[in-house]
Amino acid sequence: MLPLSEIHAMHQSVDDGWRSPVADAVATRWGIAPGSARYWRSSASHVFVVPPGSDPRGVLYLRFVPATLRARASLEVPADLLAALGADAGVVVPLPSLAGRLVETIPTPHGDVHAVVVPRAPGAELDADDLTTAQATAWGSALARFHLAAAPHAPLVASLARPEHARPRNGGDAFTTLADIAAGAGDAALAEAAVLLSAEWVLATAGLPGGVLHGDFELDNLRFEDGHIVAFDVDETSIGPYALDIAFAVRDLVGSHGTLDEPERPALLSAFLEGYQQVRPLGDDERDVLSLSSTHVSARSLVHGHEVLDAGDSPDDPAWLTDLRSSLAEQDTRSRGVLLAAVRPA
């Protein structure tokens, strides 16, 4: 997620009609009429939507991040991956700009931003409460197909690990990164837990099947239509064990108070895993590491949350910002608890 101060600043640029001069500057590079894009949300990036009837290309989403916070490659590599996979692989392909580029770096009233534009994915968004076991099975199969289709593009995704593109928020061993963060923050208990889990992670994942991970194959990044699933937003793509991507995907099935061994929605989780194995069988070693992978997801959540909570604690802040900070802080507390519990004696 973007820092709360950045999200607040974007909110302040938006008028009563949800328009922003920042979005208009981005829209121009894709030939989108000024005033068409309306603010949608801010999370890992700022997102504006061009609603129906505003552009002959249909509903479009403008996604951009400040150049001071993210390297251009953090958008460019995912966009190139989507284009390389193509619509036949069940992903949304970004639209080229008027200059023929998938990603543009654009000066705006908010500073330089890196931007990409994608069309709306066909189908409906589902949440875990609405999901059937058949849909969960299709979801698992779709992730396995993504793994197989994306495998040849591992060198492209691996380029994100180059020093000039360093992205500590993705890939690698999140436990090690978290140990450094926790030690710097004076949280000795969390730092010790992260060190122990890092050693376990290295041993448990050595030699596991892996390759290109989607990184966020959750329901809110998918659309369902007649048994067909379309994925988008591969901004969290990285190289790693496939078991970790499964753990990323099924967080809603595990639930905020469950574990992968005792999920809140066991029937749906079983259906997801069954669907995955219909396309790419899971070995016993991969199954054995799923629980640890779920703990790794909590570690990554804490790494992502580092330096995000930089606003929302002032009496002058709007209520929505204070509430968002509180929600994120509660999530961090839960994730910390997961890691500490993982190293406590049974």
Side-chain angles (χ1 to χ4, degrees):
M1 174 170 279
L2 294 167
L4 295 186
S5 59
E6 169 63 27
I7 295 175
H8 188 205
M10 184 54 60
H11 269 257
Q12 291 179 312
S13 81
V14 174
D15 65 19
D16 291 342
W18 302 103
R19 302 175 180 89
S20 168
V22 182
D24 284 346
V26 172
T28 300
R29 294 293 184 95
W30 275 266
I32 299 168
S36 298
R38 312 298 176 91
Y39 183 66
W40 185 255
R41 66 178 183 181
S42 293
S43 183
S45 60
H46 298 301
V47 184
F48 283 71
V49 61
V50 179
S54 300
D55 191 279
R57 291 166 290 189
V59 177
L60 306 175
Y61 291 91
L62 284 61
R63 298 174 50 253
F64 54 89
V65 296
T68 54
L69 296 178
R70 296 265 293 277
R72 179 184 172 101
S74 69
L75 267 71
E76 205 160 41
V77 168
D80 287 345
L81 175 61
L82 290 174
L85 290 172
D88 290 344
V91 299
V92 170
V93 178
L95 297 177
S97 68
L98 296 178
R101 292 183 285 266
L102 297 182
V103 175
E104 291 279 2
T105 300
I106 305 159
T108 78
H110 196 59
D112 287 358
V113 302
H114 305 308
V116 63
V117 172
V118 296
R120 179 172 61 182
E125 180 179 358
L126 300 178
D127 60 32
D129 290 334
D130 299 325
L131 199 67
T132 66
T133 54
Q135 289 166 332
T137 300
W139 175 21
S141 295
L143 178 58
R145 284 194 296 272
F146 176 88
H147 287 159
L148 296 180
H153 306 289
L156 169 65
V157 177
S159 71
L160 285 169
R162 293 174 186 165
E164 67 270 26
H165 300 157
R167 300 179 68 202
R169 60 198 302 274
N170 282 327
D173 177 0
F175 293 124
T176 297
T177 305
L178 179 60
D180 292 339
I181 292 172
D187 191 339
L190 181 60
E192 182 180 0
V195 168
L196 292 172
L197 289 166
S198 177
E200 184 179 354
W201 177 254
V202 171
L203 290 174
T205 58
L208 281 187
V212 176
L213 310 185
H214 181 281
D216 201 11
F217 210 76
E218 286 192 297
L219 291 172
D220 59 0
N221 284 326
L222 306 173
R223 295 295 180 266
F224 290 72
E225 185 176 50
D226 299 328
H228 182 62
I229 295 175
V230 178
F232 54 93
D233 186 6
V234 295
D235 282 0
E236 305 299 333
T237 190
S238 64
I239 301 296
Y242 291 136
L244 180 57
D245 220 16
I246 293 172
F248 287 154
V250 299
R251 283 173 287 185
D252 284 343
L253 305 185
V254 171
S256 58
H257 300 290
T259 65
L260 205 124
D261 295 325
E262 296 183 1
E264 293 181 4
R265 297 177 172 87
L268 292 177
L269 178 59
S270 294
F272 178 97
L273 294 175
E274 178 184 346
Y276 187 93
Q277 292 189 100
Q278 290 174 359
V279 177
R280 194 190 77 81
L282 282 171
D284 290 342
D285 52 351
E286 291 182 273
R287 283 184 165 277
D288 291 343
V289 84
L290 282 176
S291 182
L292 181 58
S293 295
S294 185
T295 306
H296 191 281
V297 170
S298 294
R300 193 187 77 158
S301 177
L302 286 169
V303 171
H304 281 201
H306 181 56
E307 296 183 349
V308 165
L309 303 180
D310 64 347
D313 57 350
S314 168
D316 297 328
D317 286 328
W320 67 264
L321 186 60
T322 301
D323 290 345
L324 179 55
R325 180 190 175 95
S326 176
S327 176
L328 292 172
E330 290 175 6
Q331 178 179 305
D332 284 353
T333 298
R334 288 195 299 269
S335 295
R336 181 179 184 274
V338 168
L339 268 74
L340 295 181
V343 298
R344 292 189 188 119

